[in-house]
């Protein structure tokens, strides 16, 4: 070929209209175009495009089309029955027009490696024959090639889809052979190179997870034809709807010859019945396993429910106990004046925390370590115009850290005068803090306390007026 680079390109879906218009239907096109399509659900063609392009060289252009959006676009752009898809290959000869006969532009149906090798040999031979000239020096135009009737007369078999269109109708129950199994469907052939799709839901009345679980390649089945589209060489069928129906005689490639698929023999009927029986048994075993698992789950859930009931009863008992202890503590605090002693005051703070904070808040704001400074009780007893219960409430907020998140409390460090340095206790490094006991009044009382550095916690130091910036050490 003189080192001419092979002509190969992949045509995406959005480029199909221009490809058909500017290449395939171009009246000046001199080279054949060989189209290869990918097999369904794959990105691989049965014939290697690069190898075929290398073998054909400049004699033809090889294009690759992915089955799906690209081949749908091709079918919409080309005249009827001149498209290609699903792993098949096609030669479009020069001179292609809107009125071209599909049989003048040969289609190769490919389902396996053997058919792919045979199709490749035929493509190469056809392209090379097209490149030769007869004795007169002019190439033979495609229109001069034999018509379908002439080819049949020459001994070539007729198009199987023509036979399907002549003999079969939607609703017929006919014999077929399984020749391909995919996760979501099975392909069955009515004649060689005339196959229809059986979707997963149409394989059996029971739920089928995978066609390979109930069918095998080469197996004879009866199908009810649901859709037939011979011009586009495709159709849909149902195995489940064919059960128990009268079956038509199978087709022959030529009228009068022996059918490709004879009527089902008694042995085959018995084999099918045995397979169906085994499937029914397997379905029964699966349902029994599922029933047993459901019963086991029910027993487990019943036991868990019983455990939850017992746990709830124990929780209710513990809650009543806590409520009783809390009530007793409140009675005790009610009987004891918080001002009576330091232990009485701290007990009142603990009860206040338990009473005012719900379970979630107690987990978020746990009560820290508390102690009372040596002058605190005296300053508390000297209060006028402020109930001791209010001091107890604010102390519970301070000891739990909640006071820092209440804007009205105005929590801040105590300093040496306005804007002065923070006050630190020399003995242990504790920091002095203050907050408002009353809100909305500049003259409101303030609570002073030490934040203890060692082991954390607070030491309540004093209750003072708002402009007091000292704290007992």
């Amino acid at each position: 070929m003189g080192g001419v680079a092979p002509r190969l390109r992949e045509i995406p879906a959005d480029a199909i209209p221009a490809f058909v218009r500017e290449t395939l239907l171009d009246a000046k096109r001199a080279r054949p175009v060989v189209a290869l399509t990918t097999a369904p659900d794959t990105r691989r063609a049965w014939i290697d495009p690069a190898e075929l392009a290398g073998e054909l060289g400049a004699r033809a252009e090889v294009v690759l089309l992915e089955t799906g959006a690209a081949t749908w676009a091709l079918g919409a752009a080309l005249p009827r029955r001149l498209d290609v898809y699903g792993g098949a290959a096609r030669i479009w000869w020069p001179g292609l027009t809107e009125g071209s006969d599909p049989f003048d532009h040969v289609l190769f149906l490919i389902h396996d490696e053997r058919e792919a090798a045979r199709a490749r040999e035929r493509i190469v031979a056809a392209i090379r024959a097209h490149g030769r000239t007869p004795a007169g020096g002019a190439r033979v135009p495609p229109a001069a090639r034999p018509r379908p009737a002439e080819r049949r007369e020459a001994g070539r078999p007729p198009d199987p889809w023509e036979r399907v269109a002549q003999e079969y109708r939607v609703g017929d129950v006919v014999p077929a052979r399984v020749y391909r199994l995919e996760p979501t469907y099975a392909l069955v052939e009515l004649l060689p190179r005339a196959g229809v799709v059986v979707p997963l839901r149409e394989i059996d009345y029971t739920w089928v997870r995978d066609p390979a679980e109930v069918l095998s390649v080469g197996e004879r089945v009866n199908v009810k034809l649901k859709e037939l589209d011979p011009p586009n060489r495709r159709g849909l069928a149902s195995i489940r709807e064919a059960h128990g129906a009268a079956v038509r005689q199978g087709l022959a490639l030529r009228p009068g010859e022996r059918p490709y698929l004879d009527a089902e023999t008694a042995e085959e009927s018995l084999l099918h019945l045995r397979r169906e029986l085994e499937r029914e048994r397997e379905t029964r075993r699966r349902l029994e396993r599922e029933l047993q698992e459901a019963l086991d789950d029910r027993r487990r859930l019943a036991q868990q429910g019983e455990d939850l009931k017992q746990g709830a009863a124990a929780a209710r008992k513990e809650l009543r106990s806590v409520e009783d202890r809390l009530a007793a503590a409140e009675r005790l605090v009610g009987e004891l004046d918080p001002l009576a002693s330091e232990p009485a005051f701290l007990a009142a703070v603990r009860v206040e925390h338990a009473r005012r904070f719900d379970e979630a808040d107690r987990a978020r704001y746990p009560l820290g370590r508390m102690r009372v400074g040596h002058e605190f009780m005296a300053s508390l007893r000297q209060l006028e115009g402020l109930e001791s219960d209010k001091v107890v409430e604010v102390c519970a907020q301070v000891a739990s850290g909640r006071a820092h998140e209440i804007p009205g409390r105005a929590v801040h460090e105590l300093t040496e005068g306005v804007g002065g340095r923070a006050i630190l206790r020399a003995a242990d490094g504790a920091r002095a803090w203050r907050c408002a006991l009353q809100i909305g009044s500049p003259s409101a009382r303030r609570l002073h306390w030490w934040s203890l550095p060692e082991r954390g916690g607070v030491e309540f130091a004093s209750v003072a007026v708002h402009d007091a910036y000292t704290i007992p050490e």
Side-chain angles (χ1 to χ4, degrees), residues 338 345 348-353 355-357 367 387-400 402-403 406 409 435-437 439 447 460:
F345 179 81
V349 172
R350 293 188 180 93
V351 172
E352 178 70 14
H353 180 266
R355 182 170 55 189
R356 297 278 185 177
F357 287 51
L367 197 63
E387 296 293 334
S388 60
D389 289 347
K390 186 63 179 181
V391 179
V392 169
E393 177 187 350
V394 175
C395 286
Q397 295 171 354
V398 167
S400 64
R402 181 72 177 87
I406 302 175
R409 289 285 165 252
C435 73
L437 284 166
I439 300 174
L447 173 67
F460 302 119

Side-chain angles (χ1 to χ4, degrees), residues 62 96 137 208 232 267 279 360 400 449:
V62 177
L96 179 69
V208 176
N232 290 310
E267 290 78 6
R279 285 201 294 269
S400 64
W449 75 91

Side-chain angles (χ1 to χ4, degrees), residues 274-327:
R274 286 175 176 170
R275 287 178 176 172
E276 289 180 8
L277 179 60
E278 182 56 35
R279 285 201 294 269
E280 293 296 333
R281 287 173 176 167
E282 178 56 33
T283 299
R284 178 178 177 179
R285 288 192 289 268
R286 175 174 56 80
L287 291 175
E288 288 175 346
R289 288 195 300 270
E290 292 176 358
L291 176 60
Q292 186 60 48
E293 291 172 358
L295 291 174
D296 292 342
D297 288 341
R298 180 179 178 180
R299 282 193 290 270
R300 260 194 314 273
L301 290 173
Q303 183 60 48
Q304 290 175 0
E306 186 61 32
D307 293 343
L308 288 174
K309 287 180 182 179
Q310 295 178 4
R316 283 194 296 269
K317 182 177 179 181
E318 179 64 22
L319 178 60
R320 286 194 297 270
S321 175
V322 170
E323 289 173 344
D324 291 343
R325 292 197 300 272
L326 180 59

